[in-house]
Amino acid sequence: MTVLIPFGAIFGGYMGGLMAEGGRRKAFINIARGGICSIVVTTIFNFWALCAGRFLMGLFLGAYVAVIPMTIAEISPAALGGPPGVTGQVQGCLGALLAGLLGMIVPYSSAEGALESRSWRFIFAVPVLVTLVQLFLLLFVYTLETPLCYQYAGDQEGYEKIMNTIYNKYTTVNSLLDEDTHSKRPVEQTAGEFLTYPYRNILWVAGGLAFFHQGTGISAVTFYCGEIFTMGLQDDSAELAAGYGILETDITSVVAAFIILYISFYIGRKTILQAGQFGMAFLLPCLALSTMYEMHTLRLVLTIAFVFVFNVSYGGLLWLYISEIIGRMGVALSAVIHFSSFLLFGILINVLDATISATVVYLTLFVLQCISIIFVHLDMIDNK
């Protein structure tokens, strides 16, 4: 049941790239419609409906992840730097925080009436309402495509409209074309072209970053959050402590996302990423030692610190950087690699934890982090 969302997202990432070929705005509209349908299916009180709904959620989530960064990259003037590309991370962290807050109202124990309650269904109304607002804006307010879409379609009128909207409606189109930073965006390739030079080298970097995004250890750290926050507690007290613990990590993520939103305008992508990598490489052995010697308070502090460092570096920059160096299908393939890695590392963490110990998990991820540092140093070019 747990793997259905990331499993669906693997297919959804590629699907998003295909859907975006017909226009980014059209892709968003279709993904939003599909997302609403998946939520409705999930609310049906039936096991197989729940499975289907979760798979469909993953499918459209993966499509979102592929389409959002390419769209933001195509409508954002390069002179603005990184902040527009980080807005997706900010919104994702805010969404996780909202989900955590809503989760606090759901009964967990039989004493609270968990077996009879249907309150969890109303929580699904929140993403439905948000998606309906998005659909309304896409259908009646944001009616233009991205400049790149108009360029590929040869629609000069549409191109002039969106360029004047992005920059200044009083600026002449000729002056925009002279300084058109959108023409510097990555060109689009087919999936097959990524087997040829030089596109395979670009996909190597983008796919490697997507892979090591999960190799940072963020999945393991969040995996152990429940255990850390509920140490020594039982029953309802443990559930409440776990809920508050997740809220703490969500708030930390939001703070970090706003910080990366600011500093991405001034500091290069590679510089920020490397600083975060060294920070996480330091924290992972510390987490291993605190686990080995059962220093629970220190482990909790290190967990919060790790979540912060991840979101202020790798978490905030991944899709910004990928969308700056590669085109539509490259972003889609990177999304496929990202969610495949999420599934892979999730299984790996569960196996290592069940057969060996959490200490070994942290140390294994430390080794991966060191490999990631070498990869970024050798293959990633700074982009600001």
Side-chain angles (χ1 to χ4, degrees), residues 311-384:
N311 282 286
V312 85
S313 57
Y314 226 128
L317 290 181
L318 176 68
W319 296 110
L320 166 64
Y321 184 78
I322 288 177
S323 64
E324 290 176 337
I325 66 170
I326 204 165
R328 171 178 57 85
M329 288 309 300
V331 175
L333 290 172
S334 298
V336 172
I337 295 171
H338 170 76
F339 286 110
S340 299
S341 303
F342 179 87
L343 201 56
L344 172 66
F345 282 110
I347 295 171
L348 175 65
I349 290 164
N350 276 281
V351 170
L352 289 177
D353 180 70
T355 57
I356 309 177
S357 67
T359 300
V360 175
V361 172
Y362 288 130
L363 292 176
T364 302
L365 291 168
F366 168 72
V367 173
L368 283 171
Q369 190 67 248
C370 292
I371 298 173
S372 172
I373 290 172
I374 297 171
F375 172 82
V376 168
H377 176 72
L378 295 178
D379 293 336
M380 183 178 176
I381 300 174
D382 213 343
N383 189 19
K384 178 178 179 294

Side-chain angles (χ1 to χ4, degrees), residues 25 64 93 158 203 210 355:
R25 174 176 166 270
Y64 262 127
C93 291
L203 182 62
T355 57

Side-chain angles (χ1 to χ4, degrees), residues 8-21 27 30-31 34-35 55-64 66-67 70 328-329 332-333 335-336:
I10 294 173
F11 300 95
Y14 192 80
M15 182 183 75
L18 296 176
M19 294 173 71
E21 184 177 8
N30 291 325
I31 294 170
F55 177 81
L56 289 173
M57 277 186 178
L59 189 71
F60 293 108
L61 170 65
Y64 262 127
V67 178
M70 71 176 78
R328 171 178 57 85
M329 288 309 300
L333 290 172
V336 172

Side-chain angles (χ1 to χ4, degrees), residues 1-5 38 42 49-59:
M1 183 67 70
T2 304
V3 304
L4 284 173
I5 289 181
S38 70
T42 305
L50 180 61
C51 291
R54 287 179 67 85
F55 177 81
L56 289 173
M57 277 186 178
L59 189 71

Side-chain angles (χ1 to χ4, degrees), residues 62-332:
Y64 262 127
V65 168
V67 178
I68 287 173
M70 71 176 78
T71 304
I72 294 176
E74 291 172 13
I75 65 174
S76 303
L80 290 180
V86 182
T87 54
Q89 176 71 8
V90 173
Q91 293 168 349
C93 291
L94 287 171
L97 177 59
L98 176 61
L101 290 170
L102 291 173
M104 296 294 288
I105 69 174
V106 177
Y108 287 99
S109 65
S110 56
E112 296 175 321
L115 298 178
E116 297 80 20
S117 174
R118 297 291 182 267
S119 60
W120 56 270
R121 288 185 176 180
F122 296 102
I123 292 179
F124 285 107
V126 176
V128 169
L129 290 174
V130 171
T131 307
L132 287 174
V133 171
Q134 182 188 46
L135 272 175
F136 175 83
L137 293 174
L138 287 167
L139 291 170
F140 302 107
V141 180
Y142 304 118
T143 57
L144 297 174
E145 280 291 351
T146 68
L148 203 60
C149 286
Y150 286 125
Q151 281 184 322
Y152 282 121
D155 186 345
Q156 182 64 19
E157 182 181 356
Y159 179 77
E160 291 180 6
K161 285 182 179 179
I162 186 61
M163 290 298 288
N164 284 327
T165 301
I166 291 173
Y167 290 95
N168 188 320
K169 62 182 179 181
Y170 302 108
T171 306
T172 63
V173 174
N174 288 333
S175 66
L176 288 174
L177 294 175
D178 292 338
E179 302 177 1
D180 181 14
T181 55
H182 290 85
S183 62
K184 301 176 184 178
R185 297 297 181 193
V187 297
E188 294 193 1
Q189 302 86 28
T190 63
E193 287 180 307
F194 285 107
L195 299 175
T196 64
Y197 179 84
Y199 304 120
R200 64 170 175 260
N201 293 0
I202 304 174
L203 182 62
W204 165 260
V205 175
L209 289 173
F211 174 81
F212 285 116
H213 178 273
Q214 291 302 315
T216 57
I218 188 62
S219 295
V221 171
T222 53
F223 174 79
Y224 289 119
C225 277
E227 173 189 325
I228 296 169
F229 290 115
T230 60
M231 194 68 65
L233 300 174
Q234 294 181 347
D235 301 329
D236 293 349
S237 298
E239 294 289 356
L240 187 63
Y244 282 124
I246 296 300
L247 285 180
E248 288 180 31
T249 58
D250 289 340
I251 292 171
T252 302
S253 300
V254 170
V255 172
F258 276 105
I259 291 175
I260 189 65
L261 182 73
Y262 176 77
I263 66 175
S264 63
F265 184 78
Y266 300 99
I267 306 175
R269 319 289 187 247
K270 185 175 182 178
T271 304
I272 296 173
L273 189 56
Q274 286 180 316
Q277 285 182 311
F278 282 109
M280 289 183 284
F282 170 77
L283 290 169
L284 283 168
C286 293
L287 280 163
L289 289 172
S290 65
T291 304
M292 182 186 302
Y293 293 105
E294 298 184 350
M295 295 180 285
H296 304 308
T297 302
L298 177 60
R299 189 182 179 192
L300 190 152
V301 172
L302 291 171
T303 296
I304 297 296
F306 190 95
V307 170
F308 176 83
V309 173
F310 171 81
N311 282 286
V312 85
S313 57
Y314 226 128
L317 290 181
L318 176 68
W319 296 110
L320 166 64
Y321 184 78
I322 288 177
S323 64
E324 290 176 337
I325 66 170
I326 204 165
R328 171 178 57 85
M329 288 309 300
V331 175

